[in-house]
């Protein structure tokens, strides 16, 4: 069976198995639909299986889809590289921005939120694989970055996000996820204002078991639910987009 509902049942089975193996409560792990390039009817089918989280990588795509899907009651997370000139738009449509990775972006978000007199849930994106992806704060720079973000009282920091290595041995992937968990535990000890870090957003179709084993609370799954995408992921992780 290759329907979306069937694929979701398969992913849920994997989550359940992974939780059983590590002795975690299945309620601790949320499944986020990574919906880049996915059509509205396909997303609707997935949401009707009782999933409440959608993640988009591009502001234009989020802006086009969110108004058509918001009546299904899902939360929308932004998980892509965010340009500062898209801040105003992303704030219109996102419930959480997982990919905050630099000070000028945090500052722009804060300024706009001050103007609109509201707050926004965010996560800090960490580059745990150093060479493989270019986005995310370097682990060694995270503590300083977090302290600077803490000054912006409109930003409510809910946790950390990372993208593991693609196509690497699981031991190296595990290292990325473990790094993120350790960083979160360390940051929590600072008790920074505006930080309530419960979430570890890590793990995708190929490595969700490893991520759950290392403490993921949000796994972001696209391919295993919707099938292969026609665009290479580099299209979605490109500075120019
Ligand atoms: C595309 C994407 C995912 C999902 O990846 P799959 O391998 O298709 O499950 C997760 N996180 C981010 C940031 C993505 O861009």
């Amino acid at each position: 069976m290759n329907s979306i509902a069937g694929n979701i049942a398969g992913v849920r089975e994997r989550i359940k198995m992974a939780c059983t193996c590590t002795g975690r409560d299945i309620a601790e792990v949320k499944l986020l639909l990574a919906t880049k390039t996915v059509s509205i009817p396909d997303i609707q089918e997935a949401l009707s299986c009782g999933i409440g989280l959608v993640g988009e990588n591009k502001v234009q795509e989020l802006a086009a889809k969110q108004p058509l899907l918001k009546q299904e009651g899902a939360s929308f997370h932004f998980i892509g590289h965010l340009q500062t000139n898209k801040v105003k738009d992303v704030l219109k449509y996102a419930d959480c921005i997982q990919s905050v990775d630099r000070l000028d972006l945090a500052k722009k978000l804060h300024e706009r939120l001050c103007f609109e007199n509201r707050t926004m849930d965010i996560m800090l994106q960490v580059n745990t694989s150093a060479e493989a992806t270019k986005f995310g704060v370097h682990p060694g720079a995270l503590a300083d970055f977090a302290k600077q973000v803490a000054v912006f009282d409109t930003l409510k920091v809910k946790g950390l996000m990372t993208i593991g290595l693609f196509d690497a041995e699981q031991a190296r992937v595990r290292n990325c996820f473990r790094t993120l968990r350790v960083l979160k535990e360390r940051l929590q000890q600072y008790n920074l204002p505006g930080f309530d870090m419960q979430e570890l957003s890590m793990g995708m179709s190929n490595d969700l078991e490893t991520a759950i084993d290392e403490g993921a609370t949000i796994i972001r799954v696209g391919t295993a639910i919707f099938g292969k995408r026609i665009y290479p992921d580099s299209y979605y992780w490109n500075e120019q987009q």
Side-chain angles (χ1 to χ4, degrees), residues 2-241:
N2 234 347
S3 67
I4 287 167
N7 291 342
I8 288 175
V11 169
R12 283 182 163 149
E13 195 54 39
R14 287 174 63 189
I15 297 171
K16 199 170 123 197
M17 284 286 285
C19 285
T20 306
C21 287
T22 58
R24 293 189 60 195
D25 183 347
I26 195 165
E28 286 172 21
V29 183
K30 294 182 277 285
L31 174 57
L32 175 145
L33 302 166
T35 52
K36 52 180 179 268
T37 75
V38 179
S39 71
I40 296 288
D42 282 1
I43 301 172
Q44 279 167 330
E45 187 180 340
L47 291 174
S48 73
C49 297
I51 295 178
L53 276 180
V54 173
E56 282 287 348
N57 290 64
K58 285 182 183 292
V59 177
Q60 304 91 297
E61 222 173 309
L62 175 70
K65 290 175 180 175
Q66 189 266 5
L68 301 172
L69 292 166
K70 64 176 177 213
Q71 73 276 12
E72 342 264 316
S75 291
F76 287 81
H77 286 205
F78 189 79
I79 61 173
H81 179 63
L82 182 57
Q83 289 178 293
T84 43
N85 63 4
K86 303 269 167 63
V87 155
K88 196 174 142 186
D89 279 335
V90 80
L91 290 176
K92 268 189 223 154
Y93 302 105
D95 300 296
C96 176
I97 300 167
Q98 291 198 7
S99 46
V100 176
D101 64 351
R102 54 196 198 281
L103 193 60
D104 70 326
L105 175 60
K107 186 164 179 280
K108 285 266 158 46
L109 286 166
H110 173 64
E111 285 167 359
R112 181 70 203 175
L113 287 162
C114 281
F115 178 75
E116 295 181 10
N117 192 24
R118 63 189 186 111
T119 64
M120 176 59 59
D121 288 352
I122 67 162
M123 295 188 206
L124 308 182
Q125 182 177 354
V126 184
N127 183 353
T128 52
S129 64
E131 78 286 3
T133 59
K134 34 182 183 160
F135 303 114
V137 189
H138 187 276
L142 183 65
D144 280 342
F145 179 58
K147 286 174 196 164
Q148 289 169 311
V149 169
V151 174
F152 303 137
D153 59 3
T154 59
L155 302 179
K156 303 298 173 196
V157 183
K158 298 297 172 188
L160 302 180
M161 183 271 245
T162 199
I163 300 175
L165 285 160
F166 294 113
D167 303 322
E169 322 136 48
Q170 283 304 300
R172 292 180 64 209
V173 176
R174 180 178 293 277
N175 241 344
C176 295
F177 297 154
R178 184 166 296 168
T179 298
L180 200 71
R181 173 164 54 80
V182 170
L183 288 169
K184 177 186 156 229
E185 286 161 4
R186 265 191 227 149
L187 267 190
Q188 277 172 325
Q189 293 172 354
Y190 290 123
N191 278 322
L192 293 168
F195 278 56
D196 175 21
M197 299 215 307
Q198 303 302 323
E199 310 289 1
L200 278 176
S201 174
M202 58 191 194
M204 322 200 297
S205 293
N206 286 330
D207 52 22
L208 66 91
E209 284 86 358
T210 310
I212 289 171
D213 197 34
E214 290 297 335
T217 63
I218 298 177
I219 54 166
R220 311 177 305 264
V221 180
T223 310
I225 292 173
F226 300 110
K228 272 205 170 7
R229 293 176 289 271
I230 38 173
Y231 295 106
D233 281 351
S234 56
Y235 172 73
Y236 275 88
W237 286 101
N238 183 320
E239 199 88 57
Q240 265 53 258
Q241 300 298 323

